[in-house]
Amino acid sequence: MNQLNAGLLDLPNEILFIILKKLDNMYVLYSLFDVGNQRLDMIVQEKTFTKTLNFVVTTSFDDILSISDSMLNRFCINILPKINLNVKSLILESGSMERILLAADYPNLVELKLFNFNDKVVVPYFTGKSPFRRIFQQQITDLILVYKSDINILLERQYQNGVHEYILKFFESLKHLSITGLPSLLSLNNLPLTICYSSTLYKLSVFVNRFGDCLALLDGRLKQLTMFIVIIENTVYDSSVVCNMDDLPNLKCFSLTCRCFTDDYDTQVLPLLRRMSNLEELALNIINQNRTTFVDGTQINNEILVHMPRLYKFDFNINTETKLHHLVHYLSSDDIQRTFTNIGYQHVGCILYYINSSAICHVFSLPFMFHYLENIGNTFPPIIFGHVTELALYDIVPFKHEFFIRIARSFPLLKKLRIINSKSQSQMSNNWNSKDNQLYSIVEYPYLISLCILVSHIDYVEQFLNETKTHLPHLTKLRVDYDQLAVVTNNFTRDTTRVNCAKVKQLIIEKTLVHSKDFNVYFPLFTGAKRNESSNQYQTIIIRPQYHERKKNEESENEQALKNNDSADKNKIEIEECDDDD
């Protein structure tokens, strides 16, 4: 071979195959299949390229879309009818699902992942009238449904108890079911064992309404269940609900995400875990509010680990908030860390800080494996939280500019950020007001799409919207106080805050907007409010989350407590909270 004139087709099949495997299989098929070269056709029809087909794309703004029309046309007309026997898994967007499934027969299709799902899909496709009845009823063993993230729950939800009953009844061969997103909330409400029953399902990932719904799913209606991933909306348990509380010897993997109030962790969560004596993998992502003591290594060992002799993988993130009057004496992060060292757990992180009348303690396994983390203040360890995409910051000590640099460094994949801090960045305001800002690096959040600064000092609106301080290239959702926004943007005319607002599509505020030209220019993509043509006003939904209201009340209590503390106590608290500052 003359290497100077060698082309792609001059390479041996083995080398060509290795090269193509490193490329996206959808583009390999789109570009090389059926282009008049028999050798290429033979290679790209290998199962490596045709077994799993992904027809969705994720934009930099986290939107899930179908592939382009031209690409979809080529697949449906020229490619799918010729490779259909190899296809075992399809990843689809609900809007293009019907066209793709009708393009060919798929006798070996067993897995379906459907994005932008909504309840309206159920009747035409998940009942006896479905044109894909044979495939869905007899073939599909793995079904993954992902609800659209910005769906209007009140308008879209047609099944108050979730779509789970219909799916488990219709998909007769189902072994794995995963339904994610708030609209899929399951509520069993003392329903009989025949509801949500399956003799084949071994893996379930679900979002349930109450703790009782979690117990109901484990009361015998899913006899083959070995892996259970559950997010619980509300841990309050109705004692009138009677569930089978026998041991769960078949369960091998369990993942629980919930928020517990007062003693829910001790009275609901721990008794459930003790029933899982054969558990091999456990993941706990729990927020305890108003608990009287911290959850530490000693407590985890005595209440959980001793009951699971076969456990070999344990990922946890347990956040406990308690009132100071419950503590016998002040503890440090090292004190908590030592309780894990004593039980042989070396790879554990701890964050502990005091906020006047409360103390917040995080304990978590390393590496940190969860996507959400909240109640992080000025003090946190210098580690990389590589899986965290959603973060909530809360402190009564000001967040300095350097703090946000640390946040960007420690949370490189951050997509959603909420900030609760009523304290001014006054210590740095003089520096910012000077024309020489070169001493400060611009903070960059390359993936941040959602920012909530509704319950924050105006300095943080300035911190994030001023492009000389923070760069937000993909910000699409902004929750903010309207009056603060107007001040920081100089009534939507200031150039240094224009860039970070330009891509915002959803603006969530607690005010009715008066239509103005400057506002429209500032938010050219704004779709979060509807304008009344007759009154020339934007009508917005007033949102007051309970979490924000609780934090407002806590801040008020904390500020009052701070005033009552003597100067020594003030210094003690500030030193503890700022001790880990870079």
Side-chain angles (χ1 to χ4, degrees), residues 168-224:
L168 288 174
K169 186 180 296 183
F170 185 61
F171 289 79
E172 297 174 355
S173 302
L174 208 57
K175 296 180 179 179
H176 169 208
L177 174 62
S178 174
I179 305 179
T180 59
L182 189 58
S184 67
L185 203 63
L186 171 63
S187 180
L188 292 175
N189 260 341
N190 263 334
L191 295 177
L193 292 177
T194 53
I195 303 299
C196 287
Y197 169 86
S198 173
S199 60
T200 61
L201 198 71
Y202 73 88
K203 180 180 178 181
L204 176 63
S205 180
V206 67
F207 196 125
V208 302
N209 187 25
R210 294 180 179 273
F211 195 84
D213 300 316
C214 172
L215 297 179
L217 287 169
L218 296 171
D219 66 359
R221 67 189 74 211
L222 303 173
K223 294 182 180 298
Q224 303 302 319

Side-chain angles (χ1 to χ4, degrees), residues 143-353:
L143 180 63
I144 303 169
L145 305 176
V146 182
Y147 275 82
K148 192 171 183 178
S149 59
D150 60 350
I151 195 171
N152 187 318
I153 298 172
L154 296 179
L155 293 179
E156 297 290 342
R157 181 181 291 168
Q158 297 184 0
Y159 305 97
Q160 291 302 316
N161 293 330
V163 299
H164 312 72
E165 177 187 354
Y166 294 88
I167 291 170
L168 288 174
K169 186 180 296 183
F170 185 61
F171 289 79
E172 297 174 355
S173 302
L174 208 57
K175 296 180 179 179
H176 169 208
L177 174 62
S178 174
I179 305 179
T180 59
L182 189 58
S184 67
L185 203 63
L186 171 63
S187 180
L188 292 175
N189 260 341
N190 263 334
L191 295 177
L193 292 177
T194 53
I195 303 299
C196 287
Y197 169 86
S198 173
S199 60
T200 61
L201 198 71
Y202 73 88
K203 180 180 178 181
L204 176 63
S205 180
V206 67
F207 196 125
V208 302
N209 187 25
R210 294 180 179 273
F211 195 84
D213 300 316
C214 172
L215 297 179
L217 287 169
L218 296 171
D219 66 359
R221 67 189 74 211
L222 303 173
K223 294 182 180 298
Q224 303 302 319
L225 196 65
T226 61
M227 179 180 292
F228 187 28
I229 301 170
V230 61
I231 301 174
I232 302 177
E233 171 76 0
N234 190 339
T235 55
V236 176
Y237 179 58
D238 185 355
S239 58
S240 65
V241 177
V242 179
C243 293
N244 182 353
M245 301 298 284
D246 293 341
D247 287 346
L248 303 164
N250 292 333
L251 207 59
K252 299 295 188 293
C253 304
F254 181 58
S255 174
L256 172 64
T257 299
C258 66
R259 185 184 298 268
C260 297
F261 301 92
T262 59
D263 62 349
D264 296 337
Y265 174 79
D266 301 275
T267 60
Q268 309 301 334
V269 175
L270 293 181
L272 172 61
L273 295 177
R274 295 188 194 112
R275 297 167 58 194
M276 305 175 185
S277 58
N278 291 328
L279 211 63
E280 297 173 357
E281 298 182 28
L282 174 63
L284 297 178
N285 189 11
I286 297 175
I287 298 173
N288 288 314
Q289 294 178 232
N290 298 321
R291 194 171 185 270
T292 56
T293 59
F294 296 140
V295 174
D296 59 15
T298 303
Q299 196 272 350
I300 287 176
N301 183 66
N302 294 342
E303 301 295 338
I304 299 176
L305 299 182
V306 295
H307 299 281
M308 300 176 181
R310 298 186 181 183
L311 191 70
Y312 68 85
K313 183 179 180 182
F314 182 29
D315 294 322
F316 61 91
N317 171 42
I318 301 178
N319 173 356
T320 305
E321 181 179 358
T322 187
K323 297 299 182 182
L324 290 185
H325 63 79
H326 290 305
L327 300 179
V328 177
H329 58 273
Y330 276 63
L331 299 171
S332 67
S333 296
D334 289 339
D335 294 328
I336 302 296
Q337 196 96 35
R338 199 172 297 115
T339 64
F340 287 94
T341 304
N342 292 340
I343 64 170
Y345 271 67
Q346 304 295 331
H347 302 292
V348 175
C350 177
I351 302 174
L352 174 61
Y353 66 106

Side-chain angles (χ1 to χ4, degrees), residues 431-446:
N431 292 326
W432 280 120
N433 289 332
S434 67
K435 294 183 179 180
D436 183 13
N437 289 336
Q438 295 180 358
L439 295 176
Y440 297 93
S441 301
I442 297 176
V443 188
E444 296 198 30
Y445 296 96

